[in-house]
Amino acid sequence: RSPGKSIFLSQTKLKMKSVIFALVAGSAAAFAPVVVQKATTSLHAFESELGVQEPLGFYDPLGLLDDADQERFDRLRYVELKHGRISQLAFLGNIITRAGVKLPGNIDYEGTTFESIPNGWAAVGAIPSAGIAQIVLLVGFLELAVMKDVSGDAEFPGDFRNGFLDYGWDDFDEETKLFKRGVELNNGRAAMFGILGLMVHEQLGGTLPIVGPM
């Protein structure tokens, strides 16, 4: 066999092997799972929002902001602020009534005094049904007609001034406004833990500093 013919046969065999390998690799790839490129979430878009601070930084353990847009974030911030404000009122009310500060007079025409209403959850069962109904109606009215952006002039989620209650807000610079909003947000977060802790300790019993007997 001539050297030229041997070289030709060797090159031919090499090309055939390359073709066979390419066909096998292609058929194997046809049955391989397709890797779908995951869309990037918008988490990084919220890492500079108000409330993202040390030591936790951006903290979303439940993934509520996965693939969320700005509208979703604003809705969650609105709910967080509302819960924080309610919790601040609840915690402060719990502390004040446990300190013995209660309204004078009677809560109904039958002579039930405010002083006789117990503290905490026990008050719910002691307040007359008409009183409970009045509380529910008042809260509903505030929720539907007052504590919302009625005028459409809100600067941020939770801005319920509606061109009426200002307290000098428009005179603050942007840095001061952010600071005050951050203070409210953090106080609300603390109050949510605080009122939850009081509710738990009320069931456990005992005595707490400042609060007194549970």
Side-chain angles (χ1 to χ4, degrees):
R1 180 181 301 178
S2 63
K5 187 174 182 180
S6 299
I7 295 174
F8 174 78
L9 291 175
S10 298
Q11 291 178 345
T12 302
K13 290 181 179 179
L14 181 62
K15 289 182 180 179
M16 291 181 62
K17 289 180 179 180
S18 300
V19 172
I20 293 173
F21 176 78
L23 291 174
V24 172
S27 61
F31 295 97
V34 178
V35 179
V36 179
Q37 184 68 29
K38 292 184 179 180
T40 57
T41 64
S42 55
L43 292 181
H44 296 290
F46 306 117
E47 290 183 349
S48 60
E49 288 284 350
L50 182 70
V52 179
Q53 57 194 38
E54 299 297 335
L56 295 179
F58 183 82
Y59 188 65
D60 183 28
L62 299 180
L64 298 178
L65 291 176
D66 290 351
D67 300 318
D69 55 12
Q70 188 65 43
E71 183 179 0
R72 169 70 172 170
F73 177 85
D74 290 343
R75 170 60 183 170
L76 292 175
R77 173 52 52 84
Y78 171 84
V79 172
E80 180 184 20
L81 278 170
K82 179 183 291 186
H83 289 173
R85 290 167 178 173
I86 294 173
S87 296
Q88 289 178 74
L89 291 173
F91 185 86
L92 184 61
N94 208 310
I95 296 295
I96 289 176
T97 54
R98 290 184 184 279
V101 180
K102 298 185 178 182
L103 293 173
N106 302 329
I107 195 173
D108 59 13
Y109 292 114
E110 297 178 359
T112 303
T113 63
F114 286 101
E115 185 69 28
S116 66
I117 303 297
N119 300 315
W121 274 112
V124 178
I127 297 176
S129 57
I132 295 292
Q134 292 176 39
I135 294 174
V136 172
L137 289 175
L138 175 60
V139 171
F141 171 74
L142 294 175
E143 174 74 14
L144 297 176
V146 179
M147 307 304 290
K148 60 189 302 183
D149 180 22
V150 179
S151 63
D153 299 326
E155 294 182 8
F156 51 86
D159 181 6
F160 299 153
R161 290 175 297 149
N162 293 312
F164 179 66
L165 299 175
D166 185 78
Y167 299 111
W169 179 262
D170 291 332
D171 297 330
F172 297 141
D173 56 34
E174 291 303 318
E175 184 178 356
T176 303
K177 288 181 178 181
L178 284 176
F179 173 77
K180 290 185 176 295
R181 289 176 57 197
V183 169
E184 182 193 24
L185 188 61
N186 286 332
N187 287 347
R189 290 169 174 174
M192 284 188 274
F193 280 106
I195 190 60
L196 180 61
L198 287 179
M199 292 165 62
V200 171
H201 279 284
E202 183 179 355
Q203 301 304 314
L204 297 177
T207 303
L208 292 178
I210 302 177
V211 180
M214 301 298 292

